[in-house]
């Protein structure tokens, strides 16, 4: 394991032994993406534009060619077209292909971004999402004409209920944060239906930032409880803030420290004792698939991040899907309309052949909180998730959790001498390490470690989160990385720590990354001299640097 | 055992030995025994991909709507999505990346989003656009939150010409925000804004005024009148813009809008049974620090090279936590990138041409339909752009069922669109007989003529 990072990032340094690795394993899986990524600036599409060029081609229709003047009142008409770029199709392809070469992705290499579950996204799901019979269906098509979609949604709902131990689910929330807000509105509706006005929701100090933000937007006040020295919710502190003003608690389990909340049964009993509800943030569900279910832990409301646990691609920051599953006592409040099964299974085949009444329809829950999406949620994302679930089945999902936890623990154990381990016990799907010693001794911070990893051809872990850990490095390898890749990743981590002890190494860490399309950015300038559009750049150029 | 796991049995054994464990179950020792799932998940065994594809293909085959010629709209339109857009937007570097937390290796997505923001800003006529929200409805909810914060008042006047589902979402989320939603009725398809006397009594003036342009019935609203109301009360003016019709219309920014939202599905996203779509959001520079979601800005790297990064991060939930004004984290970035590619493909002339062709087809259909007995306009003589509401002699749902047999998705029945929580825009019988029809640039003269023939038959009692 002596691969050096050449300062210019060329592939010349990538001289892996041609034979087998120590231990006889094949040398595959050593991600090395940096040389693939171009390092010259790419002009914007607007700079590539030349008036008169075009890409568009539209269908020949034969519809009479009335002018805009004949079609629209003068007061409403625009006088000049909306200025967009004018490029040939060839230039359009070149531009976005070059941009794609300036982008790291799961398909390119390991992406151990903690809390984000950047697992491999099976290609078969792309095929499913592009089936014309799914992608070509209008969302307002009557139920009789969209029976396949309704059947798909009902099947997925049943699968997600099996995984979570809940009674029913809504698919409308488009992402995890939307699921959180939906869950909080369900909590509110549940209490209000019992004429019970409560004002507070409890959140551990290790929670994702979306939790407290959702609580506020859901109209509640946040009460934060600290973690104990084992990284779990401090039970005594929790009990001290529980009363009949508490609407519920939001928990991630395993929590954001990658640890299972060992006291979950006590937590559930204590919250339920004061009439509160338990909300499960599904960000970390990948760790416990088939092992333990939120419903069995005592949770009343669960959101899932299908783009994490069920491998739907993250899309550079969405689309996600954040379905919310609930216990029997909350089903009547779910957003609607919901897809429902109308007939028994025996009648379904006749129905799908068009020989009987529709097997599936829409229903509005009697005390629904209402809509939370323009239509039915991110439907094509849902189709991908069902595909993933069917390929794996119950056994396969359990294996997913086992291998995810195995990978994280292997990495944690392997790196425990080179890095600080704030909570020294087995983790679940992710390991929280820290660079506090490196920082104290050599001035090399978590951010520097992250940037050096980019040079090594890996995506960086999540840094500075959870907030309760100093110089946190949150590493989630996921189950789809091989032992070879884990070894290469661990080697890179160790090399960075070892090098940091030398002045030249620490300097290199501060200068990193040097092999990526751009180096470290002037983020302060981006906020100070705001240039959110190409047009703003021209304005800044004219007026000199001035903030908004 | 179909899966995507790389571990050999030997790998697992090696790794367990390294951890000093003898069994993989020991990894879960922190999970209390009483809670553990006995007997595994109640799911079928895994199936190899070809079997799963066959199942999913059968489900897809059971969607008859996919085979119908689409005249349905209501915020989801059958526009051209060319091969080049599908190919570029499907590149796995865009598809399998995540939020650009490490900008040095995310310049591709960041620059594409910067270009997207520029295009959305030019469409709306406002200087700042964010990196996307979930859909049109979520953009509207965020716009109302921004507007109420800016004006300091939570009373919201919402035109009933705003999409019924978006208004439903506003009502849902107002339970958390405490906003008071006042729905303004339509007369002849346009908003009948209350005169000042209606403000007397104990109601506060509106902090936010929301109008759609054109509205969901296809009609052109008087934005100058909305601006006057906003000026009179110090309200934030929010316009829900149809971004395709924008190719022909003065921009909302030009009319004085403070916030412009919209549904971006028309820019490269298939109908997709309603998602993933794209929430468009732009605002004035004065409101940029209240902007929800992510924002990409240009800067330079250490070597002075032009580069892009998410900026004004201090607004966001992961930093502000309970003080954040929006909880948005994951948005619809891939859809924003797709829209940038589609708008790059359309270009200046292409967008104008698409809008013009939609308007021509809509005019042709309107002229043909209104000459029939059994069909009348639902919105009087009010000008429409790319969508129109018809009153049919038989219930709209009957028309849709009958025309499906002729190969058409005839439109959207207004009562089904508005039936989830009441609607101030029309009485019940009008809604039951209201058919919302959209004509895109993909509809040919032959399709339009066949549609009209089928419609004439379908509206007979």
């Amino acid at each position: 394991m002596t691969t050096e990072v050449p300062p210019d990032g060329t592939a010349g340094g990538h001289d892996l032994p041609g034979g087998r690795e120590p231990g006889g394993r094949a040398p595959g899986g050593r991600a090395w993406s940096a040389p693939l990524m171009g390092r010259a600036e790419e002009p914007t599409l607007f700079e590539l534009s030349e008036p008169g060029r075009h890409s568009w081609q539209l269908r020949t229709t034969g519809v009479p060619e009335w002018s805009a003047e004949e079609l629209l009142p003068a007061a409403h008409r625009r006088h000049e077209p909306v200025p967009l770029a004018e490029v040939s199709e060839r230039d359009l392809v070149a531009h976005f292909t070059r941009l794609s070469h300036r982008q790291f992705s799961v398909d390119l290499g390991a992406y151990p971004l903690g809390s984000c579950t950047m697992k491999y996204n099976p290609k078969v799901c792309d095929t499913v999402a592009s089936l014309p019979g799914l992608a070509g269906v209008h969302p307002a098509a009557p139920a009789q004409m969209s029976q396949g979609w309704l059947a798909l949604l009902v099947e997925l709902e049943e699968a997600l209920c099996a995984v979570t131990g809940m009674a029913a689910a809504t698919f409308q929330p488009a992402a995890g944060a939307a699921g959180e807000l939906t869950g909080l509105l369900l909590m509110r509706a549940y209490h209000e239906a019992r004429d019970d006005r409560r004002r507070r929701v409890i959140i551990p100090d290790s929670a994702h930032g979306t939790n407290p933000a959702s609580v506020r937007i859901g109209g509640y006040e946040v009460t934060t409880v600290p973690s104990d020295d084992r990284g779990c919710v401090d039970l005594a502190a929790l009990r001290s803030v529980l009363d009949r003003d508490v609407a519920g608690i939001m928990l991630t389990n395993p929590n954001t420290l990658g640890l299972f909340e060992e006291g979950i049964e006590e937590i559930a009993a204590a919250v339920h004792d004061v009439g509160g509800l338990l909300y499960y943030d599904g960000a970390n569900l990948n760790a416990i698939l088939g092992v333990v279910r939120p419903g069995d832990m005592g949770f009343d409301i669960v959101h899932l991040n299908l783009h994490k646990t069920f491998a739907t691609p993250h899309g550079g920051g969405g689309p996600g899907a954040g379905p919310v599953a609930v216990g029997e006592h909350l089903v009547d409040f779910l957003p609607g309309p919901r897809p429902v099964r109308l007939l028994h299974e025996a009648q379904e085949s006749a129905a799908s052949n068009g020989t009987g009444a529709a097997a599936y329809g829409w229903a509005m829950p009697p005390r629904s909180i209402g809509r939370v999406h323009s239509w039915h949620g991110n439907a094509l994302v849902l189709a991908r998730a069902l595909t993933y679930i069917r390929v794996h089945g119950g056994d396969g999902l359990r294996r997913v959790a086992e291998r995810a936890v195995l990978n994280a623990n292997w990495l944690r154990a392997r790196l425990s001498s080179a890095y600080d381990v704030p909570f020294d016990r087995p983790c679940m799907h992710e390991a929280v390490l820290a660079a506090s010693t490196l920082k104290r001794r050599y001035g090399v911070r978590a951010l520097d470690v992250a940037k050096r990893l980019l040079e090594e051809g890996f995506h960086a872990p999540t840094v500075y989160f959870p907030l309760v850990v100093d110089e946190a490095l949150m590493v989630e390898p996921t189950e789809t990385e091989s032992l070879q890749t884990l070894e290469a990743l661990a080697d890179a981590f160790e090399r960075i720590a070892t090098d940091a002890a030398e002045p030249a190494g620490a300097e290199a860490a501060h200068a990193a990354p040097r092999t990526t399309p751009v180096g470290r950015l002037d983020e302060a300038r981006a906020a100070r001299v705001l240039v959110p559009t190409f047009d703003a750049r021209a304005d800044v150029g004219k007026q000199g640097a001035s903030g908004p | 055992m179909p899966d995507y796991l790389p571990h050999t049995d030997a790998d697992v054994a090696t790794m367990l030995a390294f951890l000093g464990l003898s069994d993989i179950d020991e990894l879960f020792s922190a999970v209390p025994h009483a809670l553990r799932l006995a007997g595994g998940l109640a799911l079928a065994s895994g199936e190899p991909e070809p079997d799963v594809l066959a199942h999913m293909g059968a489900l897809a085959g059971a969607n008859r709507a996919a085979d119908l010629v689409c005249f349905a709209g209501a915020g989801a339109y059958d526009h051209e999505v060319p091969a080049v857009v599908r190919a570029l937007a499907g590149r796995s570097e865009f598809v399998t990346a995540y939020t650009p937390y490490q900008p040095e290796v995310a310049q591709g997505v960041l620059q594409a989003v910067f270009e997207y923001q520029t295009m959305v800003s030019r469409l709306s006529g406002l200087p700042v656009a964010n990196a996307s929200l979930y859909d049109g409805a979520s953009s509207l909810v965020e716009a109302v939150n921004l507007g109420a914060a800016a004006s300091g008042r939570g009373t919201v006047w919402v035109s009933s010409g705003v999409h019924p589902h978006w208004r439903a979402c506003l009502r849902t989320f107002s339970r958390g925000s405490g906003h008071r939603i006042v729905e303004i009725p339509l007369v002849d398809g346009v908003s009948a804004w209350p005169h000042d006397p209606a403000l007397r009594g104990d109601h506060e003036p509106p902090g936010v005024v929301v109008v759609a342009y054109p509205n969901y019935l296809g009609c052109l609203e008087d934005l100058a009148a909305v601006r006057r109301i906003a000026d009179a009360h110090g309200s934030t003016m929010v316009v829900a813009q149809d971004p395709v019709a924008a190719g022909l219309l003065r921009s909302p920014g030009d009319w004085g809008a403070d916030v412009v939202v919209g549904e971006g599905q028309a820019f490269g996203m298939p109908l997709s049974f309603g998602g993933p779509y794209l929430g468009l959001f732009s605002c004035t520079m004065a409101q940029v620090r209240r902007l929800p979601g992510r924002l990409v800005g240009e800067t330079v790297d250490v070597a002075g090279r032009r580069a892009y990064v998410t900026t004004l991060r201090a607004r966001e939930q992961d930093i502000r936590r309970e003080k954040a004004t929006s909880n948005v984290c994951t948005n619809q970035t891939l859809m924003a990138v797709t829209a940038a590619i589609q708008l790059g493909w359309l270009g200046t002339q292409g967008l104008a041409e698409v809008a013009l062709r939609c308007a021509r087809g809509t005019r042709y259909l309107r002229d043909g339909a209104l000459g029939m007995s059994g069909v009348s306009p639902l919105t009087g003589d009010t000008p429409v752009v790319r969508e129109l509401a018809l009153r049919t002699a038989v219930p709209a749902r009957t028309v849709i069922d009958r025309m499906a047999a002729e190969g058409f998705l005839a439109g959207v029945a207004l009562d089904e669109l508005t039936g989830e929580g009441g609607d101030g825009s029309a009485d019940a019988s009008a809604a039951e007989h209201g058919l919302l029809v959209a004509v895109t640039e993909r509809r040919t003269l032959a399709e339009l003529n066949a549609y009209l023939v089928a419609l004439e038959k379908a509206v007979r009692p």
Side-chain angles (χ1 to χ4, degrees):
Chain A
M1 310 292 165
T2 55
T3 310
E4 292 291 324
V5 183
D8 63 355
T10 58
H14 194 205
D15 51 349
L16 286 171
R20 313 292 287 181
E21 294 274 299
R25 286 184 294 279
R30 286 181 168 261
W32 184 264
S33 63
L36 297 177
M37 298 193 281
R39 268 177 285 143
E41 279 181 17
E42 172 64 16
T44 62
L45 201 61
F46 313 104
E47 292 160 296
L48 294 168
S49 173
E50 187 69 34
R53 286 206 185 119
H54 66 92
S55 304
W56 64 274
Q57 303 183 34
L58 297 172
R59 199 168 179 185
T60 305
T61 63
V63 174
E65 297 188 350
W66 289 298
S67 68
E69 289 74 16
E70 293 170 282
L71 292 165
L72 288 173
H76 290 277
R77 266 195 328 264
R78 71 162 49 242
H79 300 297
E80 294 292 331
V82 181
L84 297 166
E86 295 178 75
V87 296
S88 68
E89 181 168 318
R90 191 267 173 280
D91 288 346
L92 186 75
V93 168
H95 174 65
F96 283 101
T97 303
R98 288 192 298 260
L99 286 186
S100 76
H101 287 187
R102 297 161 70 77
Q103 180 65 44
F104 195 91
S105 62
V106 169
D107 277 10
L108 199 52
Y111 208 131
L113 189 66
S115 215
C116 298
T117 315
M118 301 300 291
K119 63 172 73 176
Y120 168 67
N121 310 134
K123 297 300 170 192
V124 68
C125 302
D126 296 353
T127 301
V128 168
S130 61
L131 288 172
L134 295 179
V137 180
H138 193 282
Q144 289 87 338
M145 303 175 203
S146 52
Q147 285 291 295
W149 260 115
L150 286 159
L152 187 158
L153 295 178
V154 168
E155 185 186 342
L156 181 61
E157 180 183 8
E158 288 167 358
L160 296 183
C161 286
V163 167
T164 55
M166 308 307 283
T170 173
F171 292 118
Q172 286 191 26
E180 291 175 23
L181 188 46
T182 302
L184 287 155
L185 293 175
L186 288 168
M187 206 180 263
R188 173 177 288 279
Y190 168 83
H191 289 304
E192 288 183 358
R194 301 149 69 92
D195 215 16
D196 191 356
R197 314 264 152 186
R198 295 174 177 236
R199 287 176 305 177
R200 294 190 295 131
V201 171
I202 296 175
I203 291 178
D205 58 2
S206 60
H208 294 111
T210 48
N211 288 178
S214 299
V215 167
R216 289 293 295 157
I217 292 158
Y220 286 111
E221 288 162 32
V222 177
T223 299
T224 305
V225 289
S227 307
D228 63 18
D229 55 9
R230 287 181 57 76
C232 290
V233 169
D234 185 326
L235 256 171
L238 172 65
R239 289 206 170 96
S240 73
V241 296
L242 278 176
D243 58 31
R244 300 231 151 238
D245 197 31
V246 170
I249 184 170
M250 296 181 84
L251 280 181
T252 310
N253 192 17
N255 65 24
T256 62
L257 295 161
L259 303 173
F260 193 85
E261 291 283 354
E262 294 166 334
I264 185 62
E265 292 166 288
E266 290 84 351
I267 294 171
V271 173
H272 284 155
D273 276 351
V274 296
L277 297 178
L278 273 83
Y279 181 95
Y280 183 89
D281 179 329
N284 297 342
L285 185 71
N286 203 47
I288 59 166
L289 288 171
V291 176
V292 56
R293 306 186 303 175
D296 298 331
M297 295 183 223
F299 285 94
D300 304 285
I301 306 170
V302 177
H303 95 249
L304 301 96
N305 299 80
L306 300 188
H307 47 297
K308 296 180 180 178
T309 314
F310 298 102
T312 70
H314 282 63
V324 173
V326 296
E328 208 60 76
H329 49 303
L330 288 153
V331 175
D332 284 355
F333 301 101
L334 281 174
R338 299 180 51 221
V340 291
R341 196 189 291 277
L342 301 175
L343 297 175
H344 296 298
E345 270 181 46
Q347 296 165 271
E348 272 177 34
S349 57
S352 66
N353 296 333
T355 55
Y360 299 91
W362 296 101
M364 201 69 181
R367 292 187 286 179
S368 174
I369 60 167
R371 253 184 196 285
V372 299
H373 189 268
S374 296
W375 297 103
H376 320 305
N378 282 342
L380 290 179
V381 176
L382 305 173
R384 289 171 180 271
L386 181 61
T387 305
Y388 178 86
I389 289 171
R390 282 191 77 103
V391 167
H392 285 83
D395 295 354
L397 292 179
R398 160 97 191 190
R399 275 199 309 284
V400 162
E402 288 173 352
R403 307 295 155 87
V405 174
L406 181 64
N407 277 5
N409 274 289
W410 185 93
L411 208 51
R412 181 186 153 282
R414 172 71 195 271
L415 294 177
S416 58
S417 50
Y419 290 84
D420 303 296
V421 182
F423 298 97
D424 192 11
R425 61 185 172 104
C427 62
M428 300 296 281
H429 63 300
E430 65 194 358
V432 177
L433 309 171
S436 33
T437 301
L438 289 181
K439 178 186 163 194
R440 195 177 62 248
R441 287 194 188 150
Y442 315 117
V444 171
R445 307 183 62 214
L447 184 72
D448 304 319
V449 175
K451 300 304 183 194
R452 278 281 292 114
L453 269 175
L454 302 179
E455 289 183 335
E456 299 272 354
F458 295 102
H459 198 277
T462 296
V463 291
Y464 301 105
F465 185 83
L467 306 175
V468 294
V469 172
D470 180 48
E471 296 295 324
L473 290 158
M474 189 191 213
V475 189
E476 182 180 9
T478 83
E479 70 280 4
T480 51
E481 297 307 331
S482 69
L483 182 53
Q484 285 93 333
T485 299
L486 294 182
E487 283 176 340
L489 177 61
D491 290 347
F493 262 111
E494 286 176 353
R495 196 157 47 235
I496 293 165
T498 309
D499 290 353
E502 304 296 330
E507 198 180 310
H510 294 133
R514 299 154 302 164
T515 58
T516 46
V518 294
R520 279 195 210 193
L521 303 188
D522 188 344
E523 300 196 16
R525 171 187 158 129
R528 195 177 64 246
V529 188
L530 185 65
V531 182
T533 64
F534 181 72
D535 306 320
R537 171 198 289 168
D539 294 346
V540 167
K542 268 184 251 152
Q543 297 158 10
S546 66
Chain B
M1 293 199 303
D3 60 32
Y4 304 92
L5 302 171
H7 303 69
T8 63
D9 291 346
D11 289 339
V12 173
T14 303
M15 295 171 81
L16 286 174
F18 181 69
L19 293 170
L21 301 176
S22 56
D23 188 290
I24 205 153
D25 280 346
E26 293 173 32
L27 289 168
F28 299 97
S29 57
V31 180
H33 277 280
L35 298 181
R36 291 195 202 176
L37 187 63
L41 289 169
L43 290 174
S45 298
E47 295 174 326
E49 283 186 3
D51 301 13
V52 176
L53 263 182
H55 176 72
M56 301 306 287
L59 291 175
N63 290 318
R64 283 172 50 218
D67 302 325
L68 303 177
V69 178
C70 185
F71 281 83
Y77 302 95
D78 180 30
H79 287 291
E80 196 66 50
V81 183
V84 63
V85 172
R86 275 178 276 146
L88 290 175
R91 286 193 68 92
S92 74
E93 295 89 343
F94 298 134
V95 173
T96 72
Y98 191 36
T99 301
Y101 292 123
Q102 297 292 338
E104 298 89 342
V105 292
Q107 288 298 301
V109 165
L110 285 162
Q111 184 171 335
V113 171
F114 179 79
E115 293 176 5
Y116 160 83
Q117 289 174 180
T118 303
M119 293 167 181
V120 174
S121 157
R122 290 178 179 183
L123 280 168
S124 68
L126 291 177
V128 193
N130 77 3
S132 79
L133 292 165
Y134 308 132
D135 60 0
S138 70
S139 287
L140 178 63
V141 170
E142 295 282 357
V144 164
N145 290 346
L146 181 156
S151 67
R153 291 194 307 274
T155 294
V156 184
W157 284 8
V158 184
S159 159
S160 292
V162 172
H163 194 292
H165 292 176
W166 301 16
R167 278 180 284 134
C169 288
L170 266 188
R171 289 192 294 268
T172 301
F173 291 108
S174 70
R175 294 181 185 204
S177 63
H179 295 152
R180 183 170 153 265
I181 309 293
V182 181
E183 302 204 9
I184 307 300
L186 300 183
V187 172
D188 281 344
V190 292
S191 309
W193 300 101
H195 297 297
D196 277 359
L199 289 176
R200 285 202 298 265
D202 55 1
H203 296 319
E204 65 173 8
V208 188
V209 184
V210 186
V211 66
Y213 188 67
N215 67 25
Y216 89 100
L217 297 175
C219 297
L220 288 170
E221 298 264 7
D222 181 355
L223 296 196
V226 180
R227 185 64 253 174
R228 283 193 296 274
I229 293 169
D231 285 338
H233 303 298
S235 328
T236 308
M237 174 177 168
V238 176
V239 176
Q241 174 191 35
D242 178 323
V244 167
L248 285 178
L249 299 175
R250 272 179 73 184
S251 73
D254 204 23
W255 289 103
D258 298 298
V259 183
V260 175
V261 298
E263 172 53 68
Q265 175 269 337
F267 296 144
M269 280 138 267
L271 290 163
S272 315
F273 205 49
Y277 285 3
L278 170 65
L280 309 174
F281 194 104
S282 35
C283 69
T284 58
M285 200 51 93
Q287 300 302 333
V288 69
R289 290 185 192 274
R290 291 193 177 94
L291 186 74
R294 298 198 167 107
L295 177 67
V296 174
E298 185 187 301
T299 186
V300 292
D301 78 348
V302 285
R305 288 175 291 200
R306 186 200 289 179
Y308 305 90
V309 67
T310 54
T311 192
L312 301 187
R313 292 268 295 124
R315 298 165 296 117
E316 290 190 49
Q317 47 75 27
D318 55 327
I319 297 185
R320 280 183 76 82
R321 299 178 73 86
E322 65 263 33
K323 294 190 186 68
T325 51
S326 166
N327 69 339
V328 172
C329 178
T330 287
N331 45 73
Q332 304 277 122
T333 302
L334 184 61
M335 280 50 239
V337 172
T338 302
I341 298 168
Q342 174 89 3
L343 285 169
W345 173 76
L346 283 172
T348 306
Q349 300 306 326
L351 177 67
E353 188 67 23
V354 166
L356 187 58
R357 289 183 187 212
C358 291
R360 286 170 179 162
T362 304
R363 164 66 63 86
Y364 187 85
L365 190 133
R366 181 184 163 104
D367 288 353
L370 296 187
M372 296 173 191
S373 63
V375 179
S376 58
L378 196 73
T379 57
D381 292 331
T382 307
V384 299
V385 185
R386 60 115 105 212
E387 194 149 16
L388 76 159
L390 301 172
R391 187 191 302 270
T392 52
V394 297
R397 186 49 204 278
T398 306
V399 174
I400 290 169
D401 288 342
R402 288 175 177 174
M403 287 184 68
E406 309 283 330
F408 295 102
L409 185 56
V412 177
L414 281 180
D415 59 336
E416 296 189 358
L417 206 54
T418 59
E420 293 157 20
D423 186 270
S425 62
D427 62 54
S429 94
E432 191 185 321
H433 291 258
L435 179 68
L436 191 58
V437 186
V439 186
T440 69
E441 83 287 356
R442 298 197 68 230
R443 297 287 76 83
T444 64
L445 187 65
E447 288 170 342
L448 282 159
N449 286 333
Y451 180 95
L452 289 168
V453 169
L455 179 65
E456 191 153 35
K457 273 200 306 185
V459 295
R460 286 181 199 144

